[in-house]
Amino acid sequence: MTGTEAPRPAIVVEHLSKRYGRMLALDDVSLSVGANDMFALLGPNGAGKTTLIHILCTILAPDGGSASVAGFDVKKQAVKARRNIGVVFQEPSLDDRLTAYENLNFHGLVYQVGGAERKQRITEMLELVELSDWRDKLVRTFSSGMKRRLEIARALLHNPRILFLDEPTVGLDAQSRERIWAYLDQLRRQRELCIVVTTHYIEEVENCDRVCIIDHGKILADGTPDALKAAHGSELVRVTPRDKAAAEAIRERYPDAKDGHGGTLVLAVDDVNFIDGFLASFGTRVSQVSLDRPSLESVFLSLTGRELRDKGADEQDRMRAAGRRAGRR
């Protein structure tokens, strides 16, 4: 490659489609991701994020179109593609009967990492995720956040060019989520690595290089966070009606009002006098009013007509986490 040539994208997807029976999970999806990008797939549960990741990781075969990772076709050159990717799945995949070291060592053996290099890489990865002191402890004694960090270390052990993280912070507390993202930022500073993350936590992707919004298997928008806000964002007023009658009256006056979290209504600000006019009419009939500046949340609402987080998503996350803990007892 000469100095004038652009680097080859880490991921290229062209007209990808995938069905589960009658349900179209991916609908003519095309995108490319740069070699050193932090790329986020943003969408609610069931949007098609995990299906796309599974195809790129060679777990699923597409029904139509093509995809390549690190220059290798995911169908025709699946083995070579797998050697260039690391994956952290949404569901835990560690063997909790083994120690941290044994989990990493087994992964290195599977990827045929040589003995001396494997030991060095294990030491480096445990240090990266601050688990060196837990090297010889059984994984079943780890917290959920520690297990996620170990999974990231394992995914990086064979020195992949692309790291896929499918909902890596689901079920984790806020502090653990923040630490996971700190490790990812550190990785970006240390090495050239393409990171692709799926999430429905919208605040987690503000610092990504690019954000791709996907819903119902279709890409709705793709760009930098700032570009998406400029093109699709808007100021929103979030109000909490005091009762059902107030909510119905607000909907009648503002038919474009959207359902928000916790019984709120979300209204788009269409002129500078909007809030004054709203408060004059409904100030005594709402218990709370807040103004949201243009954000990725407002971008998603503008493109899909609904907020990103499903009303029961947080509770579903907690139930899934509790179920996993119960299953291990």
Side-chain angles (χ1 to χ4, degrees):
M1 184 176 70
T2 68
T4 58
E5 291 182 70
R8 183 170 60 183
I11 298 169
V12 177
V13 175
E14 295 180 334
H15 305 293
L16 210 61
S17 64
K18 179 66 181 178
R19 285 185 177 274
Y20 299 111
R22 294 183 178 180
M23 186 186 78
L24 186 59
L26 292 177
D27 185 3
D28 194 30
V29 169
S30 296
L31 58 85
S32 66
V33 184
N36 198 36
D37 278 358
M38 174 79 86
F39 183 86
L41 280 168
L42 189 66
N45 292 327
K49 306 186 303 296
T50 296
T51 296
L52 178 55
I53 292 294
H54 282 183
I55 289 174
L56 294 176
C57 293
T58 75
I59 296 171
L60 288 175
D63 294 327
S66 64
S68 66
V69 294
F72 299 105
D73 187 282
V74 297
K75 288 181 66 176
K76 300 175 183 177
Q77 300 168 293
V79 174
K80 291 181 178 179
R82 289 186 200 120
R83 290 193 175 277
N84 284 276
I85 65 175
V87 187
V88 176
F89 295 103
Q90 182 173 345
E91 295 298 324
S93 58
L94 297 166
D95 190 331
D96 66 2
R97 298 164 298 179
L98 302 179
T99 66
Y101 178 88
E102 289 168 339
N103 269 277
L104 297 185
N105 190 56
F106 180 75
H107 182 85
L109 289 170
V110 169
Y111 277 85
Q112 300 178 335
V113 180
E117 181 185 359
R118 187 169 67 250
K119 291 179 181 178
Q120 179 181 352
R121 293 287 295 166
I122 290 173
T123 298
E124 291 173 352
M125 290 300 100
L126 288 174
E127 183 177 348
L128 170 69
V129 298
E130 300 180 9
L131 290 175
S132 297
D133 292 342
W134 294 78
R135 173 189 181 100
D136 298 316
K137 303 292 186 182
L138 292 177
V139 170
R140 66 178 54 178
T141 66
F142 287 18
S143 68
S144 296
M146 292 167 67
K147 290 178 181 178
R148 266 292 185 248
R149 284 148 52 193
L150 184 60
E151 287 180 309
I152 291 175
R154 183 184 62 180
L156 293 168
L157 187 72
H158 59 287
N159 204 26
R161 295 167 58 187
I162 304 166
L163 177 62
F164 291 101
L165 302 107
D166 187 14
E167 301 281 0
T169 60
V170 164
L172 301 184
D173 59 76
Q175 184 178 14
S176 295
R177 288 167 55 191
E178 185 176 345
R179 292 184 76 179
I180 293 297
W181 283 99
Y183 294 126
L184 296 178
D185 288 340
Q186 184 176 346
L187 285 171
R188 297 287 309 288
R189 293 194 298 268
Q190 290 180 343
R191 56 189 286 182
E192 183 174 289
L193 179 69
C194 172
I195 299 178
V196 178
V197 60
T198 74
T199 184
H200 55 243
Y201 292 114
I202 204 160
E203 69 276 9
E204 294 187 338
V205 303
E206 287 284 353
N207 295 322
C208 288
D209 298 306
R210 282 172 56 209
V211 175
C212 177
I213 296 178
I214 184 171
D215 195 21
H216 298 299
K218 295 183 74 70
I219 291 179
L220 305 182
D222 181 1
T224 67
D226 286 344
L228 292 177
K229 292 173 193 176
H232 305 286
S234 61
E235 287 190 338
L236 302 175
V237 172
R238 193 179 303 271
V239 302
T240 305
R242 291 188 180 278
D243 50 40
K244 185 177 180 181
E248 292 176 351
I250 293 171
R251 288 182 184 281
E252 184 176 351
R253 174 75 65 84
Y254 303 99
D256 293 332
K258 311 296 182 185
D259 288 325
H261 305 144
T264 62
L265 293 175
V266 183
L267 314 173
V269 177
D270 53 13
D271 64 62
V272 295
N273 298 316
F274 180 88
I275 295 180
D276 290 340
F278 177 84
L279 291 177
S281 299
F282 296 100
T284 61
R285 305 188 67 182
V286 297
S287 60
Q288 188 172 355
V289 178
S290 63
L291 177 65
D292 294 350
R293 299 296 180 185
S295 63
L296 289 177
E297 188 75 57
S298 70
V299 169
F300 194 86
L301 182 67
S302 173
L303 291 170
T304 69
R306 57 197 175 106
E307 292 198 296
L308 177 64
R309 293 285 287 167
D310 297 333
K311 288 185 177 181
D314 288 316
E315 181 61 28
Q316 290 167 8
D317 289 347
R318 289 192 291 270
M319 291 175 65
R320 280 196 294 266
R324 290 195 294 267
R325 288 193 295 269
R328 290 193 293 268
R329 290 171 184 162

